[in-house]
Amino acid sequence: MSSANSITLDWEGSPVPCVEGDTVLDALLRAGIPVPHSSCLVQARSGPVPAAAQQGLKESLRAQNYLLACLCRPEQDLSLAPPGQGVRITALLTERDWLSDTVLRVRLAPDESLGHRPGQYLTLFRPDGLGRSYSIAGPELELHVRRIPGGAMSNWLAEAQPGQAVTLQGPAGDCFYTPGDPTQPLLLAGAGTGLAPLYGILHDALGQGHQGPIWLYHGALNERGLYLTDELQALAAQHRNFEYRPALLDRDGPLPEVISRDHPKLTGWRGFVCGDPTIVNLLRKRLFLGGMASRAISADAFLPATLK
Amino acid sequence: MHIKTMPTLYEVDIFYRKVLLDDRINGFFEGVDMDRQIAKQKSFLTMVFGGPVSYSGQDMRRAHAHLVARGLNDTHFDAVVENLGASLAELGVAAEVISEVAALAETTRADVLGK
Ligand SMILES: Cc1cc2nc3c(=O)[nH]c(=O)nc-3n(C[C@H](O)[C@H](O)[C@H](O)COP(=O)(O)OP(=O)(O)OC[C@H]3O[C@@H](n4cnc5c(N)ncnc54)[C@H](O)[C@@H]3O)c2cc1C
Ligand code: HEM
């Protein structure tokens, strides 16, 4: 119900009254709802988000309808949720093929849309409840899973049959393309299955007509660690602004150094780095020291779910 | 004196980049997560700009005690103040303001070095 001076917020399905002039935070606190984040960040599910409520937020957060409850004075009904929960849906595994000796491509058909951006990640749950996070390599739910010796989920997925049902939660993460400045140079760097989100971001950027140069670095120990090379070479031949650079440790040296040699100065660039935590930290530091602004670097570290 | 009180992310970047490139002191910052470090550099700058952060002398002692144990001394302190001055100069801050900032940083020396 909304009349001239009463607005109804929806907080995860429960109605919360809001008087005109109130901030969302006022209304939530009055309803006894603890706002789950010290920065008062919440996510709008539907309803127009007042621009003033997104002041100072990163572009990737704005694009996901995040807003600051303490700044938001809604003028219309608004449906809200705590940040980063995503939705939980079921999906069927439809296809499974090997992209290399150790990297499996898994395609999933969800019951309903996850509403993700390519490059974000989801958490996949087996029927017994075991869950692991995987990056999304495209507009459809396509995952690149490295088979890890003794790994519970990766080996299960390697044996799973098409038609297998799984549960998905997400999306999460801020590694995705935002078309803010179509001429800004982009640097995408990762090792191993760190390529998965980068592959998604690359397709998204090209699909949205990004005009600035896009450099994709894929690091691997040796030739056998690379995958999707034919597809990436074909894309590079097709798009003049896209450069594909496989970097092999045994031939080219460490990935951060390969990047520094090609691009001693990265001032004004936007960067995406993904993969194992060690390489992600080294890469971010290298991009930053090259002159990239800290807030222009998005990173997803593939932290293992269990420790050795 | 008039110093603005909250550093922008751009200013934090300039200062943190200089610190990480300075071989005299970057060893102390090795292996620290970048997001966390950038948040702390922001606290550092807010503090030396005379802005609203409430670190007591005790807090400063505690935050740097493990570094003192690893050999943090006056030369490292001087290097940080030097990088601070160079960053502000690069940002076009007037010389007299830079010396006020340096003087404010100086007041923390004994606590930072655990003296
Ligand atoms: C945000 C995020 C995104 C991710 N995206 C991807 C992705 O796109 N593709 C992908 O393949 N993985 C991705 N991961 C990693 C993934 O979630 C799992 O950790 C991985 O698949 C291993 O799970 P498992 O159940 O097979 O192994 P587990 O049973 O969890 O582990 C078995 C053993 O292997 C060790 N181990 C775990 N990971 C590694 C590793 N990388 N290298 C060496 N040893 C390891 C563990 O410590 C343990 O001892 C991502 C992780 C995060 C947090
Ligand atoms: C000029 C005076 C200095 C001031 C005012 C200062 C201020 C601070 C502040 C506010 C923090 C954050 C504390 C916290 O939130 O936990 C901090 C952390 C830190 N400082 Fe300083 N600092 C000074 C000098 C130095 C010097 C000389 C070094 C080393 C060369 C140094 C290295 C560090 C490191 C590595 C941390 C992070 C500790 C950790 O998280 O492990 N600081 N400092």
Side-chain angles (χ1 to χ4, degrees):
Chain A
M1 278 269 301
S2 72
S3 65
N5 55 3
S6 107
I7 295 158
T8 305
L9 304 177
D10 173 294
W11 179 257
E12 293 192 285
S14 336
V16 174
C18 180
V19 185
E20 213 173 288
D22 261 5
T23 65
V24 166
L25 185 65
D26 296 333
L28 292 175
L29 290 177
R30 210 173 30 234
I33 295 166
V35 178
H37 205 274
S38 58
S39 68
C40 84
L41 196 67
V42 299
Q43 193 173 19
R45 289 256 180 269
S46 69
V49 179
Q54 296 189 307
Q55 253 174 55
L57 288 184
K58 272 183 152 173
E59 199 178 340
S60 54
L61 291 179
R62 289 205 300 267
Q64 293 175 83
N65 288 329
Y66 279 94
L67 57 93
L68 295 167
C70 45
L71 291 183
C72 183
R73 295 178 199 281
E75 287 162 3
Q76 294 176 45
D77 292 356
L78 201 56
S79 170
L80 300 160
Q85 307 283 93
V87 288
R88 238 182 130 104
I89 59 175
T90 50
L92 296 182
L93 192 155
T94 52
E95 241 184 283
R96 222 195 38 173
D97 58 324
W98 291 96
L99 295 170
S100 76
D101 292 352
T102 53
V103 178
L104 184 73
R105 173 163 53 195
V106 174
R107 290 201 161 103
L108 301 162
D111 272 1
E112 52 183 299
S113 164
L114 207 56
H116 74 281
R117 304 296 189 92
Q120 287 191 289
Y121 62 89
L122 52 74
T123 303
L124 183 150
F125 296 90
R126 297 197 305 215
D128 69 357
L130 182 89
R132 296 285 185 266
S133 300
Y134 294 99
S135 302
I136 311 168
E140 306 299 327
L141 295 185
E142 170 181 327
L143 317 177
H144 302 166
V145 179
R146 185 150 74 93
R147 188 172 194 165
I148 287 168
M153 183 65 90
S154 54
N155 286 287
W156 182 79
L157 284 170
E159 306 296 331
Q161 293 304 312
Q164 172 69 52
V166 294
T167 302
L168 306 177
Q169 182 166 7
D174 63 1
C175 263
F176 59 84
Y177 178 71
T178 46
D181 174 1
T183 60
Q184 186 174 35
L186 308 182
L187 195 148
L188 283 49
T193 45
L195 180 61
L198 303 178
Y199 195 71
I201 294 165
L202 169 69
H203 278 276
D204 201 15
L206 291 172
Q208 296 201 44
H210 191 81
Q211 292 146 28
I214 306 175
W215 289 71
L216 169 67
Y217 287 87
H218 187 204
L221 290 178
N222 53 43
E223 204 83 51
R224 289 159 61 96
L226 298 176
Y227 65 90
L228 290 174
T229 46
D230 292 347
E231 287 83 348
L232 288 164
Q233 267 152 7
L235 275 176
Q238 202 183 324
H239 295 272
R240 292 177 54 187
N241 61 335
F242 170 52
E243 299 283 341
Y244 167 51
R245 287 285 182 276
L248 306 179
L249 188 64
D250 66 4
R251 182 190 70 190
D252 309 307
L255 182 54
E257 274 152 48
V258 175
I259 295 174
S260 284
R261 278 203 299 272
D262 289 352
H263 307 284
K265 254 193 118 39
L266 290 166
T267 311
W269 286 59
R270 168 115 174 78
F272 298 92
V273 297
C274 304
D276 282 350
T278 328
I279 184 83
V280 163
N281 272 332
L282 291 170
L283 285 170
R284 303 175 74 169
K285 193 159 162 182
R286 188 53 64 101
L287 301 189
F288 178 67
L289 292 180
M292 213 181 275
S294 54
R295 69 184 300 168
I297 307 173
S298 301
D300 261 338
F302 294 180
L303 297 163
T306 54
L307 294 173
K308 279 187 207 117
Chain B
M1 91 179 187
H2 182 74
I3 310 176
K4 52 184 229 80
T5 50
M6 285 293 278
T8 65
L9 257 178
Y10 178 65
E11 292 162 344
V12 176
D13 275 5
I14 299 249
F15 172 62
Y16 185 39
R17 199 174 282 126
K18 282 200 199 303
V19 167
L20 284 184
L21 285 169
D22 186 338
D23 289 333
R24 294 173 295 177
I25 49 176
N26 55 16
F28 291 107
F29 297 86
E30 203 103 295
V32 189
D33 174 74
M34 257 186 61
D35 283 333
R36 232 183 78 199
Q37 256 324 311
I38 284 181
K40 293 199 170 168
Q41 300 299 333
K42 192 165 178 183
S43 306
F44 168 92
L45 287 180
T46 307
M47 196 167 160
V48 298
F49 285 179
V53 283
S54 46
Y55 286 102
S56 66
Q58 273 310 316
D59 294 336
M60 282 296 92
R61 278 174 190 269
R62 221 172 294 123
H64 298 92
H66 65 296
L67 305 173
V68 172
R70 282 169 53 199
L72 186 73
N73 63 35
D74 284 298
T75 63
H76 304 122
F77 190 96
D78 295 342
V80 165
V81 176
E82 189 186 312
N83 282 304
L84 179 61
S87 305
L88 296 177
E90 188 175 326
L91 290 161
V93 174
E96 69 261 29
V97 177
I98 295 178
S99 39
E100 285 169 34
V101 170
L104 206 48
E106 200 54 50
T107 62
T108 67
R109 184 184 292 260
D111 288 323
V112 167
L113 297 179
K115 292 198 215 175

